[in-house]
């Protein structure tokens, strides 16, 4: 079914937001064209506030004038709207879908908070505790998510779980460089480590990555800010 | 508005701190409501639950005789309640197993090694965790049985998912912060956020956001996904005045929510399993006191 004639797709985003990239990758999987609107989060546009009055955040996808907010909701919406076009983001089978959704929630609920804590805390006991918590959750991922002979968690192409983990593939190495300590080594997490490289090189991802040098500067400033205001 | 009557006539689910011993529950107690049979009880071997709908035997072919659904939860968990409501709405029979969190059953420990949390749905030995994930699973796996929880329209479905996420990340999370707050400042902030969330949900019912007319349920004329997701919190919201000294609900600010709560609790799928607000409040007070003493 050819949607493209009647459709208008806009994405409101911000260049550094990993959630915005998640949506970009999803749109890329479907091969969809869209209008991208960069938001200045210190001076949000009237359009953004109109489209996301509840959270006033990016990303927001506007499909034929109707806004969808929350990156996980947007990604599933994308998969539903363009079902049968491009790659599958969620599997077909209900149980596999449930597994994908479960692991997709694991990232923001369990994994990201200690990683962020580790990054925004000065060296010491507290930071070490955060690092250990992050490592524990990474171990769970490494063990439970059996890639087997698959390239991605979605199988032979990028799927929901890959998208959810996705930004960590470039964020973690950046944090490691800034802090001067490793979180993921090939030794400790062979499966995840290999996946990270493959993800960044995957077709829907490789041309849709944030500007790395700028992002690194931004992250450095963030860490400095947190250390100063601790 | 007090929830009582039917719920208190039932064998009381296991309360706090007691182990899940079989003699506390009338084994094999069966209740009938609407078009399905709900099994309340633990352990004793029983014939697999059957589905009866207006269509007669059609659904029995769709849900094979060997199909087995179990829910692990606690009577006070808003998340477990969602799962039971969803199954009831679909007219699916299941075995409900009350867990004692101080003495977790082997089944639970085996079922959810990752987050070790409740609820867990076990379908023919296959485990599903996380209430919203379970709800979507039920809706998709049993699409041919009973009404659908999520709307058919793709955009409406996205809206339903959005509000479910909102309920968890704003209402539930902030309510917990408000309840557990150690300082006045923390409490004030969390209270403000919780009230804001409640008011947004009131706004949803009024349909004012999209110029739609008022509807009896979040799902429209019939209860759906958002109703089930929020319903887990009904008793907690009703107990807020006593637990936190906060007037979350009142006739002036949240008339529609109050109506909705009453209407929802009357539904066949709900009326036998909604927890008693008094018991919930009592449980929460005891729990909070324990947590304070440990600090």
């Amino acid at each position: 079914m050819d949607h493209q004639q009647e459709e208008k797709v806009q994405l409101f985003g911000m260049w550094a937001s990993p959630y915005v990239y998640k949506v970009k990758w999803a749109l890329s999987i479907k091969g969809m064209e869209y209008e991208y609107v960069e938001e200045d989060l210190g001076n949000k546009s009237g359009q953004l506030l109109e489209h996301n009055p509840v959270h006033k955040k990016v990303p927001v996808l506007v499909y034929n004038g109707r806004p969808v907010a929350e990156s996980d909701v947007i990604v599933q919406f994308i998969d539903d709207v363009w079902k049968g076009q491009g790659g599958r983001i969620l599997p077909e089978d209900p149980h596999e879908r449930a597994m994908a959704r479960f692991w997709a929630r694991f990232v923001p609920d369990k994994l990201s908070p200690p990683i962020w804590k580790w990054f925004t805390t000065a060296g010491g006991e507290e930071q070490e505790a955060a690092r250990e918590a992050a490592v524990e959750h990474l171990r769970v991922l490494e063990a439970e998510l059996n890639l087997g002979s698959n390239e991605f968690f979605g199988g032979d192409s990028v799927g929901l779980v890959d998208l959810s983990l996705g930004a960590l593939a470039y964020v973690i190495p950046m944090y490691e460089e800034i802090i001067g300590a490793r979180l993921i080594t090939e030794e400790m997490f062979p499966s995840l480590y290999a996946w990270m490289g493959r993800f960044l090189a995957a077709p829907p991802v490789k041309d849709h990555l944030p500007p790395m040098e700028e992002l690194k500067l931004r992250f450095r400033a963030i860490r400095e800010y947190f250390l100063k205001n601790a | 508005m007090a929830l009582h009557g039917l719920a208190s006539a039932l064998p009381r689910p296991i309360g706090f701190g007691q182990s899940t011993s079989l003699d506390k529950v009338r084994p094999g107690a069966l209740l009938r409501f609407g078009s399905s049979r709900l099994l309340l009880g633990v352990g004793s071997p029983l014939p697999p639950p059957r589905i009866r709908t207006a269509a007669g035997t059609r659904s029995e072919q769709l849900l094979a005789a060997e199909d087995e659904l179990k829910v692990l939860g606690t009577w006070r968990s808003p998340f477990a309640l969602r799962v039971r409501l969803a199954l009831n709405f679909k007219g699916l029979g299941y075995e409900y197993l009350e867990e004692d969190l101080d003495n977790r059953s082997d089944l639970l420990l085996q079922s959810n090694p990752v987050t070790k949390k409740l609820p867990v749905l076990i379908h023919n030995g296959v485990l599903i965790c996380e209430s919203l994930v379970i709800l979507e699973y039920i809706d998709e796996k049993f699409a041919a049985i009973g009404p659908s929880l999520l709307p058919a329209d793709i955009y409406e479905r996205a809206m339903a998912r959005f509000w479910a996420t909102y309920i968890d990340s704003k209402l539930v999370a902030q309510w917990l912060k408000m309840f557990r707050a150690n300082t006045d400042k923390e409490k004030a902030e969390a209270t403000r956020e919780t009230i804001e969330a409640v008011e947004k949900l009131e706004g949803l019912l009024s349909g004012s956001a999209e110029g739609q007319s008022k509807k009896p349920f979040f799902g429209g004329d019939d209860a759906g996904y958002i109703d089930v997701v929020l319903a887990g919190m009904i008793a907690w919201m009703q107990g807020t005045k006593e637990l936190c000294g906060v007037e979350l609900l009142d006739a002036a600010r949240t008339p529609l929510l109050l109506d909705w709560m009453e209407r929802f609790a009357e539904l066949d799928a709900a009326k036998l399993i909604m927890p008693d607000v008094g018991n919930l409040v009592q449980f929460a007070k005891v729990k909070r006191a324990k947590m304070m003493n440990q600090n």
Side-chain angles (χ1 to χ4, degrees), chain A residues 19-68:
Chain A
Y19 308 107
V20 170
Y21 283 92
K22 199 197 300 183
V23 176
K24 285 188 176 189
W25 298 327
L27 287 164
S28 177
I29 288 171
K30 296 297 182 183
M32 279 311 296
E33 306 255 309
Y34 56 96
E35 181 200 337
Y36 176 73
V37 180
E38 175 73 18
E39 282 286 329
D40 171 4
L41 296 182
N43 186 20
K44 295 173 184 177
S45 72
Q47 275 194 301
L48 176 65
L49 298 175
E50 188 195 313
H51 290 315
N52 191 1
V54 175
H55 298 295
K56 306 178 176 55
K57 284 182 175 177
V58 292
V60 179
L61 187 83
V62 184
Y63 177 71
N64 292 342
R66 304 178 86 185
V68 184

Side-chain angles (χ1 to χ4, degrees), chain B residues 45-61:
Chain B
L46 285 152
R50 291 189 169 278
I51 309 306
R52 266 188 249 128
T53 67
T57 56
R58 186 178 69 92
S59 59
E60 282 170 329
Q61 286 158 13

Side-chain angles (χ1 to χ4, degrees), chain B residues 19-271:
Chain B
S19 56
T20 328
S21 60
L22 297 181
D23 56 13
K24 301 255 174 152
V25 178
R26 270 190 274 136
L30 286 168
L31 289 120
R32 194 183 305 262
F33 63 90
S35 60
S36 61
R37 278 158 62 177
L38 170 65
L39 180 68
L40 263 190
V42 174
S44 38
L46 285 152
R50 291 189 169 278
I51 309 306
R52 266 188 249 128
T53 67
T57 56
R58 186 178 69 92
S59 59
E60 282 170 329
Q61 286 158 13
L62 295 165
L63 190 72
E66 318 85 57
D67 250 311
E68 184 190 56
L69 283 165
K70 287 195 227 253
V71 177
L72 272 62
T74 67
W75 64 275
R76 61 225 177 238
S77 161
F79 311 107
L81 185 55
R82 289 171 180 173
V83 174
R84 297 163 72 191
L85 286 166
L87 290 166
N88 289 354
F89 268 111
K90 300 277 286 174
L92 295 163
Y94 59 95
E95 187 183 353
Y96 172 63
L97 297 160
E98 178 72 28
E99 277 290 329
D100 172 11
L101 292 180
D102 294 323
N103 187 21
R104 287 164 207 236
S105 72
D106 289 337
L107 186 56
L108 172 60
L109 293 171
Q110 286 160 27
S111 299
N112 193 353
V114 176
T115 63
K116 300 185 178 62
K117 275 187 176 177
L118 297 171
V120 178
L121 177 76
I122 309 180
H123 177 212
N124 296 340
V126 165
L127 315 169
I128 318 280
C129 311
E130 290 296 308
S131 65
L132 298 186
V133 174
I134 296 171
L135 256 45
E136 290 224 42
Y137 174 78
I138 289 169
D139 212 30
E140 288 172 354
K141 189 73 185 176
F142 301 107
I145 299 179
S148 283
L149 284 175
L150 279 145
D153 177 76
I154 288 173
Y155 184 77
E156 291 306 316
R157 209 180 305 158
M159 292 303 100
R161 288 183 178 129
F162 173 85
W163 286 106
T165 308
Y166 180 86
I167 287 166
D168 272 357
S169 65
K170 293 288 173 192
L171 180 67
V172 178
Q174 293 298 337
W175 192 98
L176 279 168
K177 277 196 185 146
M178 176 180 68
F179 174 65
R180 292 171 177 164
N182 287 317
T183 69
D184 285 338
K185 184 169 175 240
E186 274 172 29
K187 184 165 179 194
E189 200 183 304
T191 302
R192 209 184 46 239
E193 298 270 354
T194 308
I195 289 178
E196 192 186 310
V198 168
E199 285 173 354
K200 287 250 164 36
L201 293 166
E202 173 80 10
L204 255 195
L205 274 175
S206 73
S208 55
E210 299 191 358
Q212 295 163 356
S213 55
K214 222 163 71 173
K215 29 189 189 171
F217 296 101
F218 291 95
D221 292 325
D222 296 304
Y225 186 64
I226 303 177
D227 299 273
V228 170
V229 171
L230 185 59
M233 285 298 287
I234 288 176
W236 287 104
M237 291 200 282
Q238 290 170 329
T240 303
K241 178 82 194 281
E242 200 178 328
L243 283 172
C244 306
V246 170
E247 195 92 64
L248 211 58
L249 305 164
D250 76 62
R253 283 181 302 108
T254 63
L256 299 176
L257 272 174
L258 285 168
D259 283 343
W260 171 81
M261 289 182 177
E262 215 175 296
R263 197 176 299 126
F264 189 90
E266 287 302 306
L267 294 172
D268 282 346
K271 59 188 172 195

